[in-house]
Amino acid sequence: MTRVAECGEDEIDRAVAAARKAQNGPWRQTTPADRGRLLHKVAALILENKDSITKMESLDTGKPLAQAEADCVVAARYFEFYAGIADKIGGVTIPLTLDFLDYTEREPLGVVGQIVPWNYPLQMSARGLAPCLAAGNSIVIKPAEEACLSAIELGRICKEAGIPDGVVNVVTGYGSEAGAALASHPDVNLVAFTGSVQTGSTVMQSAAKNVVPVLLELGGKSPNIVFADADLEKATPVIIKCALQNAGQTCSAGSRVLVHRSRHDEVVERLVELAQKYRVGPGIDNSDMGPVISKRQWTRIMDYMDIARDEGAEIATGGKRPEGKDCEGGFFIEPTIFTQASPGMRVHDEEIFGPVTTVVPFDTDEEAAGIANATPYGLVTGLWTQDVTRAHRMAREIAAGQIFVNTYGAGGGVEIPFGGYKKSGFGREKGLEAINFYSQTKNICIGLT
Ligand code: NAD
């Protein structure tokens, strides 16, 4: 049993004041090169403490140890990547007439409020924190109430690395109290939010009252599209992994499979076989798939099983709580695959955020693109084909922020821009592009006559 502080408006207020003070003081005096060195130290400390953080993350979220360890390595990689960028965030000179000298500078925004979900608490905290610090901002992080221990540990590591007091603040508490106070705080200069569409919209409305920009990373219902010429031996293990990773509680989960009709039965058969091999059990025992985060989430996902059945979808495998001693009393769900689903059904269109996948057949490339685009989301899409022309053409047709061809994910994808089209959000995290959202451009024009 662990107890965590329930903070609210007062604590957020104090944290924002501390962040502002540090921003105007010691952090402003820290050179970009030194910011980079500090971020490198954070990365090294995460890796040094990898075993304990892995265990903590697994116990806190229920995710398998191997996944928690991978999260830890990716978190460290964020700090390495942005450490190398901290002293390369510069402006440009703009040629006008001989009468002017014009140049730009990239400046920090000031105080960033970061609101983090429970599915990848460490990775998500690192994803926002590292570029935020590289660009010279200070930050107040509000992790999710369901899983916040690794964010607190990350705060401790930042202190140990030598980042000045007040630059990194972690405030725990409920979304409706601490989260709402952070999103609406008048002295916050950017709200970086990752979570559900509904809360994202609320956060955006709060920030709008202060005319503060938001960076929204929201949900997804991402498809893997398997064309007739796909290499199924290679494709299906990846497809099942991206559907079931983290018990399906991944914004970029490949939670829909669209298959050319000629390969439909074969794909279903392979996916079912792979899904049934998953060892479901406590994450701390390093099972293949752990429980979902909470009773609330478990009930929500199980409700979708009934909704899908009522809509006419058929269960190819899964659909209930697994049997066996390991799963007794926990919020476990069998890896579940539905066939006979189609656009317009809730199980196909809505984000379930659990280990549930639908398989839908298509006949033409145009139809595949139409089904892929037929949800309110647009986060990631996987294309499986040997035809390079089709791959490029389809990549253009799909409304999503990231397209993968014959792969899905890129080892954490720290270096590549990530973010949504449509209701999956806007702005981009990761890669060099994130720096654009954690800094602002100032133009300086000097008259020379
Ligand atoms: P959520 O929106 O309920 O909570 C996310 C965070 O917002 C938590 O820290 C919570 O405390 C806080 N919050 C809740 N109410 C708030 C309010 N009124 N004001 C301010 N903050 C508030 O989402 P969740 O259930 O924790 O996460 C699941 C959702 O997050 C899914 O839709 C998933 O797709 C999405 N997600 C997206 C990404 C991405 O990068 N695109 C990553 C992970 C999760």
Side-chain angles (χ1 to χ4, degrees), residues 82-366:
Y82 289 105
I85 290 171
D87 58 358
K88 296 165 193 74
I89 305 171
V92 292
T93 55
I94 298 171
L96 298 177
T97 68
L98 288 176
D99 295 342
F100 300 104
L101 168 64
D102 193 280
Y103 64 96
T104 64
E105 287 193 327
R106 296 292 303 176
E107 292 189 343
L109 292 156
V111 176
V112 173
Q114 193 197 4
I115 301 176
V116 178
W118 43 259
N119 55 347
Y120 293 85
L122 179 65
Q123 256 206 63
M124 300 281 140
S125 301
R127 187 182 76 182
L129 178 56
C132 170
L133 297 181
N137 304 284
S138 54
I139 192 166
V140 178
I141 303 176
K142 206 300 281 177
E145 48 272 40
E146 294 89 345
C148 49
L149 300 183
S150 57
I152 299 171
E153 177 64 3
L154 188 56
R156 188 198 66 74
I157 283 178
C158 287
K159 188 172 171 62
E160 190 183 333
I163 293 177
D165 285 354
V167 175
V168 179
N169 307 272
V170 182
V171 182
T172 54
Y174 289 104
S176 55
E177 296 164 14
L182 186 57
S184 60
H185 201 287
D187 203 28
V188 163
N189 304 105
L190 167 74
V191 184
F193 173 83
T194 303
S196 61
V197 173
Q198 196 185 357
T199 311
S201 169
T202 305
V203 162
M204 195 174 165
Q205 291 172 53
S206 302
K209 291 194 182 126
N210 298 317
V211 197
V212 163
V214 290
L215 183 45
L216 296 183
E217 296 286 1
L218 308 177
K221 189 76 178 177
S222 299
N224 267 297
I225 310 181
V226 184
F227 295 90
D229 63 347
D231 177 349
L232 295 191
E233 194 68 29
K234 190 173 153 194
T236 46
V238 179
I239 290 173
I240 201 73
K241 184 165 178 261
C242 32
L244 300 180
Q245 179 172 309
N246 212 38
Q249 305 165 116
T250 303
C251 53
S252 55
S255 52
R256 292 189 290 150
V257 184
L258 316 185
V259 195
H260 190 266
R261 200 174 296 279
S262 63
R263 313 290 302 271
H264 176 269
D265 293 355
E266 196 184 344
V267 166
V268 171
E269 201 176 302
R270 281 175 183 264
L271 293 179
V272 166
E273 194 186 327
L274 289 164
Q276 287 177 348
K277 282 194 189 135
Y278 264 65
R279 280 181 307 111
V280 183
I284 201 72
D285 296 343
N286 206 17
S287 54
D288 295 327
M289 196 175 92
V292 297
I293 190 81
S294 61
K295 185 173 184 188
R296 191 175 131 231
Q297 191 67 7
W298 187 89
T299 308
R300 192 176 161 273
I301 298 165
M302 293 311 283
D303 284 349
Y304 269 102
M305 305 289 186
D306 295 333
I307 292 168
R309 284 191 202 96
D310 291 348
E311 288 176 317
E314 281 177 18
I315 289 189
T317 188
K320 52 186 195 317
R321 192 198 292 264
E323 282 157 18
K325 224 175 156 26
D326 271 1
C327 297
E328 261 170 34
F331 305 125
F332 297 97
I333 297 178
E334 287 178 340
T336 302
I337 298 173
F338 279 101
T339 57
Q340 308 298 323
S342 55
M345 287 186 179
R346 290 184 61 192
V347 67
H348 176 273
D349 294 356
E350 296 178 11
E351 183 181 49
I352 298 174
F353 225 51
V356 181
T357 309
T358 53
V359 185
V360 176
F362 65 85
D363 290 302
T364 63
D365 290 6
E366 291 65 34

